[in-house]
Amino acid sequence: MSLTAGIIGLPNVGKSTLFNAITKSQVEAANYPFATIKPNVKTVEVPDERVDKLSAMFNPRKTIRTTFEFTDIAGLVRGASKGEGLGNQFLGHIREVDAICHVVRCFDDNTITHVENSVDPKRDIEIVNLELSLADLETVQNRISKVERKAQSKEKDAVKEFEVLQRLKSALLEGRSARSVELNEEESEIVRSYNLLTIKPVIYIANVSEADVVNPENCKYYQQVKAIAEEEGNKVIAITARTEEELAQLDDEDRQMFLEELGLKTSGLDEIIVSAYSILNLCTFLTVGTDEVRAWTFTKGMKAPDCAGVIHSDFKKGFIRAEVYSYDDIMKYGSEAALKEAGKLRVEGKDYLVQDGDIMHIRFNV
């Protein structure tokens, strides 16, 4: 299950520095616009202390965490939807991701160029969101021109699609995102084929100064981003990209010491990775044993046979049952034997909705 979050924003807001930190890789993070033209894509492990604790308990030969992809996309500028700054190419890269991490500069530094010549998070967010909306509006209007005549002829499917398109068009013209339009399951399926930019889930990442990262509420720039995120129903995470890049180069022990010196409990990067995973309704089930402890990604709402198929297609095809217990229970009772004795091992069938943190043993026959 390969899903990707795209890191976007204006030029020189810290996107590539953040990408370096997230992936512990080195891409160009230069102090001029469009240093990143081709998108960089890297796979990262999703932090999960459950995997670490289960690994300590079962002492397996291998421990495998679930993964997630991040894409570093070049900076957008005013007029991107009309092709400015190679905008159409960059917007195309955003269409290919499943979620958006929108980095916003929230610090003053005269040595780092700002494409708008001043720091103003509200304006910067509006520039990016406007370009995404204008690109979506063009997509919607082009589609309307193709289905309008069929809708007027009362073709059933065309009538449904035309009605949805009109609602999307109205929202975009009012300055709202496609996300703001309430859609039922059938309508969502229609809209999915348009690959709209503003329908993708968003996390705002406020790139603050090191002095502000411990108490971002004290930063006026962060407050601007937070207000917009709350209005849209989105999450905002405060980080210092340069510091996170330095943290990423340290081993676990030194990293923890550095965080403590900064007055932080956890890395902002871990929160970004987990949040990006979460906003796509992704969850984790686990398999355990002396050979391997492994985390598996599934989409919330999947049933046991579908999750079995994540492991191997034969497991879904020949699914008989799943023996299931929760992570919390294995931690409480300390062993599978004690957990079974306490009656906490369940046998679930084909209609079981798998829960985040479930530990499963799949029984199948092909």
Side-chain angles (χ1 to χ4, degrees), residues 179-192:
R179 285 188 305 280
S180 69
V181 179
E182 290 189 18
L183 302 170
N184 61 33
E185 191 172 334
E186 183 183 13
E187 291 167 340
S188 295
E189 191 61 35
I190 292 170
V191 172
R192 191 170 291 117

Side-chain angles (χ1 to χ4, degrees), residues 78-79 81 91 102 123-137 172 175 198:
R78 289 182 190 274
S81 59
L91 288 166
H102 185 166
R123 176 205 59 209
D124 293 353
I125 290 172
E126 288 173 350
I127 289 172
V128 172
N129 286 350
L130 176 62
E131 296 306 325
L132 300 184
S133 294
L134 288 173
D136 278 354
L137 184 59
L172 292 165
T198 65

Side-chain angles (χ1 to χ4, degrees), residues 221-346:
Y221 297 138
Y222 172 82
Q223 290 288 358
Q224 292 179 32
V225 181
K226 182 181 177 183
I228 293 170
E230 287 180 347
E231 184 179 345
E232 296 177 352
N234 292 320
K235 184 170 185 176
V236 58
I237 299 172
I239 58 110
T240 301
R242 187 65 66 189
T243 299
E244 296 288 351
E245 186 180 31
E246 294 171 7
L247 278 166
Q249 307 305 316
L250 304 176
D251 59 33
D252 289 344
E253 186 176 344
D254 288 342
R255 186 167 173 263
Q256 192 57 44
M257 287 176 61
F258 194 177
L259 284 170
E260 289 173 5
E261 288 175 7
L262 293 171
L264 300 173
K265 292 182 180 179
T266 58
S267 163
L269 294 185
D270 288 348
E271 190 176 355
I272 291 169
I273 295 169
V274 171
S275 295
Y277 188 80
S278 175
I279 63 171
L280 287 169
N281 289 321
L282 300 180
C283 301
T284 301
F285 74 90
L286 304 113
T287 53
V288 299
T290 55
D291 183 55
E292 179 182 277
V293 166
R294 181 163 184 166
W296 303 87
T297 297
F298 72 100
T299 302
K300 187 176 181 180
M302 284 175 65
K303 294 183 177 181
D306 296 315
C307 285
V310 172
I311 301 173
H312 196 285
S313 58
D314 284 349
F315 286 19
K316 179 178 181 179
K317 192 185 303 179
F319 181 88
I320 300 172
R321 66 181 183 274
E323 296 173 359
V324 184
Y325 58 85
S326 73
Y327 167 80
D328 289 341
D329 282 343
I330 190 70
M331 289 296 108
K332 178 179 178 180
Y333 291 96
S335 71
E336 285 189 334
L339 183 143
K340 289 176 184 176
E341 191 174 328
K344 295 297 181 179
L345 177 68
R346 311 187 309 277

Side-chain angles (χ1 to χ4, degrees), residues 111-131:
T111 67
I112 299 177
T113 304
H114 191 294
V115 72
E116 293 287 326
N117 300 314
S118 65
V119 178
D120 185 339
K122 183 174 183 294
R123 176 205 59 209
D124 293 353
I125 290 172
E126 288 173 350
I127 289 172
V128 172
N129 286 350
L130 176 62
E131 296 306 325

